[in-house]
Amino acid sequence: MIRITGLSFVYNPGREDEILALNDINLAVKEGEFVVVLGRNGSGKSTLARHFNGLLLPTAGEVSVDGLSTKDPQDLWKIRQLVGMVFQNPDNQIVATVVEEDVAFGPENLGAPPVEIRKRVDEALSAVHMSEYARYEPHLLSGGQKQRVAIAGILAMKSKYLVLDEPTSQLDPRGRREVMETLRNLNVKEGVTVVHITHFVEEAIYAERVIVMDKGRVALDGAPRAALGDVERVKSLGITPPLMTILAHHLTKRGLKVPQDILDVEEMVRALCSLS
Amino acid sequence: MLLELEDVSFTYMERTPLAQTALRNISVSIQEGEFIGLIGPTGSGKSTLIQHFNGLLIPTQGKVFVEDKEVGVEIKPAEARQKIGLVFQFPENQLFEESVFGDVAFGPRNLGCSEEEIEVRVKKSLEFVGLDYDSFKNRSPFSLSGGEMRRVAIAGVLAMEPKMLVLDEPTSGLDSQGREEILSRLEHLHHTESLTIVLVSHDMDEVAHLADRLIVLNEGHILFDDEPRRIFSQAQKLREIGLDIPRVTSLFMSLIDRGMKVPFSLFEVEQAADVILDLFGEMVR
C-alpha cells in the first residue's frame, strides 16, 4: 500500500515565487488498484506522482510505500525499486541501443545474476507483448512501442507499483490504445498496481478508481461512473467529461431517458438500442 | 497558389547505410484561406512534410513552391520561412527571453522592423492569441501556465506576419481548458484574418471540428486528401493504419450497423443530440 498522510509540498519555499503545489493530501493506494488521476494543468498531479517514489520529498506530511517512508534516505532505493515511473516523452527514457538491453538496465543495476536478468527481461517483454522486438533498435519503434519498452523496464525491476505521468500524451490513437491495453493486462493478469496520470478523460474507462486533483487538493475520488457522471461538477474542476457522457447529459436534459453515467460509444449504442 | 509541392520525396541520411525514406512522391497544393488538418500515425512523415513547407528541409527529389516561386531557386528559404510560419511541438521549450514582449518581438526584430513596427506587431499578435498586451508584455514567459506559454510561442510566429500558419500538435500535453483556448484562437484567426492554417493533430475530434480539408499521411505518402466527412467514412482503413474516427461518427456508424436511419457525417455533440431526439422523439415525455 502507498499511504499519503497530510502531504503538503511547496516549490521555492521562502521565495517570492513560492507555490503551494500540494495542500494536505490524504490518500491510500491499495495493492492491485488501477487509479486514474485527472486534473487541469497546475492542479498538482505531477507533483503528487513524484512523491510516490521519493523523487520529491514532502514539505509536510508523509509518504510511505509498504511501510517504508520516503523520508528515510536508506529506504529510498528500496522504494524506487518498488515504485517504477514512466514519463511523457518515450524518447527520454530509453538508454540502450537494443530493446532487451534497455529492459535489462534496471535489474543489472540491482545486481541480479545474469540468468535471472535474462528471465526477467524475457518475462517483462512478453508481458507488454514486445518479445518479437527484443533485438530491435529502439529508434525503429513507434511511440506506443517505446512506452511499452519503458514499462517493461520497470516490470523487470519487479516493481509492484507503476506510476505513469501522461505516458500517452505524445502518442497516436493506436499507440494510446496499445499502452492502455497493456496497463489493463498488467493490472488484471500480473496484479501490478497502476497509477495513471492523464489529460485524456476517456482513459478513465480503464480504471476502477478516478481521482481528480484541483488546486493541490483531491477534489473527487471515486468509481469512474460516479466521479465523471456529474457533468457540471467535473467541468467546474477544469475537466471536459467524456464526449458520450456529455451527449447523455444533453439527451436527458431534453427528456430522453438514458443513463447519466455513460462513458463510451459502446455504452451509448447499447443504451439507445434498448430504447427502440 | 500559396503552397505547392511537386512530386516531393525525402530521404534522411541519403547515400549512407542508414538512409531512410520519409516522404514518397508527395504532390499537394494549398490555397489561401484553407484550414487543413494533417493526420497520420506516428512516423508517417507529418513533421518531415511540414518542414518542407518553408525550406527547413530541402527535398531529395521534387520541388516546393511558395507563392509560385520555387524554394531555394526563386525564393530564399529564409523568405519562405517568413511567409510560412511553423509552430513546432512543445514550442514553449523555445521561449528564452526575460519578458513576453521580448520573446514575441524576436522574430520581427530579426526581420529588421523598426521599434514602432515591432510594438504594433507584438501587440496585435498577443491579441490574436487572446493574451492582453498590457498585463502580459512584462511578465516572464516562465511564470505563465502551459497554455499561456504555448500561446506566447504561437504569437512569436504570428508576429512574423506569415501567410500560412502550420502547427505541429499544438494542444499536446495541455488540459481541456488550454486545448480549448488554443483551438478557439485558431478558429478565430482563420475566420477574421482568413489566415491559412495547417493543423497537425492526433485528435480526430479536433480536426473534424475545425478543418475543411484533411490530408492523411501514411508511410510517407498521401493516403487520402479530401473533405473530413468523406475521409471519416473510411473508418476501417483509418483504424488499420493506427488512426481513428471522431467519437460521434463512431456512434452513428454503430447505429447504422444496427439498422437505424442516421447520417454518419456528423461531428458535433449538439447535432448528434438533435438527430437522436428526432429518431427517438416519441419516447420523450
Side-chain angles (χ1 to χ4, degrees):
Chain A
M1 167 138 56
I2 301 179
R3 187 180 283 286
I4 294 169
T5 28
L7 167 63
S8 294
F9 184 77
V10 178
Y11 283 106
N12 309 323
R15 282 180 26 189
E16 201 183 309
D17 52 355
E18 165 179 301
I19 296 168
L20 177 62
L22 295 176
N23 186 1
D24 193 21
I25 305 252
N26 293 288
L27 202 64
V29 176
K30 293 194 203 73
E31 273 168 53
E33 276 195 300
F34 193 136
V35 185
V36 158
V37 183
L38 301 167
R40 62 180 127 217
N41 289 110
S43 61
K45 303 186 298 296
S46 295
T47 307
L48 178 64
R50 281 163 175 70
H51 277 84
F52 283 124
N53 70 347
L55 281 180
L56 290 176
L57 298 175
T59 308
E62 191 175 41
V63 176
S64 75
V65 179
D66 292 356
L68 306 171
S69 169
T70 60
K71 267 188 204 154
D72 260 326
Q74 71 261 35
D75 288 337
L76 258 189
W77 289 109
K78 178 74 188 146
I79 288 172
R80 289 197 183 142
Q81 194 230 306
L82 284 168
V83 185
M85 286 199 70
V86 174
F87 298 94
Q88 239 180 50
N89 190 336
D91 293 318
N92 289 348
Q93 303 177 75
I94 292 182
V95 291
T97 52
V98 179
V99 165
E100 62 180 6
E101 284 172 13
D102 191 78
V103 178
F105 183 79
E108 272 170 1
N109 275 339
L110 292 175
V115 182
E116 169 74 11
I117 293 175
R118 178 78 258 169
K119 188 166 159 268
R120 286 194 191 186
V121 168
D122 290 345
E123 282 171 4
L125 282 173
S126 155
V128 300
H129 298 294
M130 286 294 286
S131 300
E132 56 183 303
Y133 296 94
R135 303 289 308 157
Y136 269 60
E137 294 176 34
H139 74 268
L140 297 175
L141 305 179
S142 71
Q145 290 171 330
K146 283 181 200 162
Q147 287 297 49
R148 279 148 68 201
V149 171
I151 293 170
I154 284 161
L155 294 178
M157 310 251 302
K158 298 269 172 206
S159 298
K160 279 165 69 181
Y161 304 94
L162 188 51
V163 179
L164 306 104
D165 193 1
E166 297 186 37
T168 55
S169 67
Q170 298 185 22
L171 306 181
D172 59 20
R174 180 186 0 223
R176 282 174 55 194
R177 220 166 21 236
E178 282 172 4
V179 168
M180 293 313 295
E181 293 294 341
T182 301
L183 293 180
R184 170 145 65 191
N185 246 325
L186 293 177
N187 178 252
V188 174
K189 292 198 186 136
E190 319 274 330
V192 177
T193 310
V194 177
V195 179
H196 173 64
I197 295 165
T198 183
H199 278 312
F200 296 110
V201 72
E202 257 86 12
E203 290 175 356
I205 296 163
Y206 293 85
E208 53 192 319
R209 178 178 173 195
V210 171
I211 291 173
V212 182
M213 300 281 298
D214 190 42
K215 298 182 185 116
R217 289 176 179 273
V218 173
L220 273 178
D221 184 352
R225 267 170 226 294
L228 300 176
D230 187 349
V231 169
E232 298 307 328
R233 171 95 175 110
V234 171
K235 275 189 186 162
S236 76
L237 298 171
I239 313 270
T240 305
L243 202 70
M244 290 300 133
T245 315
I246 299 176
L247 180 57
H249 191 68
H250 274 292
L251 293 174
T252 314
K253 261 206 308 213
R254 293 166 65 178
L256 193 68
K257 273 199 178 160
V258 290
Q260 283 292 278
D261 55 2
I262 285 176
L263 295 177
D264 64 8
V265 168
E266 232 169 89
E267 292 178 9
M268 180 58 87
V269 172
R270 243 179 286 141
L272 291 176
C273 287
S274 73
L275 286 177
S276 57
Chain B
M1 200 63 69
L2 182 50
L3 178 76
E4 203 164 359
L5 273 68
E6 204 180 272
D7 197 30
V8 165
S9 296
F10 183 77
T11 304
Y12 283 104
M13 294 188 279
E14 205 197 3
R15 291 190 216 101
T16 76
L18 297 171
Q20 226 174 354
T21 301
L23 297 177
R24 298 164 206 273
N25 310 100
I26 302 263
S27 293
V28 69
S29 311
I30 296 174
Q31 275 177 10
E32 226 166 293
E34 285 195 279
F35 197 132
I36 295 177
L38 178 59
I39 58 178
T42 317
S44 57
K46 302 185 296 290
S47 300
T48 307
L49 178 62
I50 60 174
Q51 290 178 67
H52 281 82
F53 286 1
N54 67 357
L56 278 177
L57 289 177
I58 301 296
T60 319
Q61 174 207 308
K63 294 171 179 174
V64 178
F65 299 89
V66 170
E67 291 186 320
D68 304 315
K69 292 186 191 119
E70 190 181 346
V71 177
V73 179
E74 295 158 290
I75 177 172
K76 286 185 194 142
E79 208 180 322
R81 284 200 261 292
Q82 188 262 309
K83 294 196 189 289
I84 315 279
L86 221 60
V87 179
F88 289 102
Q89 273 182 50
F90 300 97
E92 61 276 19
N93 294 342
Q94 295 164 34
L95 299 175
F96 61 96
E97 290 273 348
E98 280 172 20
S99 70
V100 166
F101 184 95
D103 245 306
V104 181
F106 183 78
R109 189 159 283 145
N110 272 354
L111 289 178
C113 297
S114 68
E115 283 307 310
E116 297 84 69
E117 170 70 11
I118 289 172
E119 195 183 322
V120 170
R121 286 192 181 198
V122 172
K123 206 167 176 173
K124 204 168 145 197
S125 306
L126 284 174
E127 268 154 28
F128 277 148
V129 297
L131 296 174
D132 180 58
Y133 176 74
D134 290 315
S135 44
F136 277 90
K137 65 175 179 186
N138 293 325
R139 287 180 64 181
S140 160
F142 305 100
S143 69
L144 308 178
S145 75
E148 286 166 348
M149 276 168 88
R150 201 162 290 184
R151 281 188 282 160
V152 169
I154 295 173
V157 175
L158 288 174
M160 308 275 283
E161 301 195 338
K163 292 266 169 94
M164 185 198 285
L165 187 62
V166 184
L167 307 104
D168 197 353
E169 293 188 53
T171 60
S172 158
L174 295 184
D175 59 17
S176 41
Q177 193 188 340
R179 218 175 299 170
E180 203 41 58
E181 283 166 2
I182 300 257
L183 295 177
S184 67
R185 292 327 292 183
L186 292 182
E187 204 172 7
H188 179 78
L189 270 168
H190 178 64
H191 282 306
T192 60
E193 300 296 309
S194 326
L195 186 68
T196 312
I197 295 180
V198 176
L199 175 67
V200 178
S201 175
H202 279 316
D203 187 325
M204 304 301 131
D205 287 298
E206 198 170 286
V207 290
H209 172 66
L210 290 167
D212 34 48
R213 173 179 165 198
L214 286 185
I215 297 174
V216 184
L217 218 56
N218 188 41
E219 292 175 351
H221 68 260
I222 293 181
L223 183 66
F224 297 121
D225 180 352
D226 211 332
E227 287 170 53
R229 63 181 183 87
R230 295 181 47 150
I231 284 178
F232 287 131
S233 67
Q234 309 274 346
Q236 206 184 337
K237 186 72 198 160
L238 291 173
R239 286 190 178 127
E240 251 168 50
I241 66 164
L243 297 178
D244 215 333
I245 55 173
R247 282 161 294 181
V248 170
T249 313
S250 166
L251 169 68
F252 278 55
M253 287 184 97
S254 296
L255 294 178
I256 291 168
D257 283 347
R258 283 167 176 74
M260 294 189 199
K261 287 201 165 47
V262 291
F264 71 76
S265 63
L266 284 158
F267 306 120
E268 305 292 333
V269 75
E270 292 81 8
Q271 294 169 320
D274 289 343
V275 171
I276 292 170
L277 284 163
D278 270 352
L279 203 63
F280 294 96
E282 72 277 14
M283 294 183 184
V284 177
R285 284 159 290 144

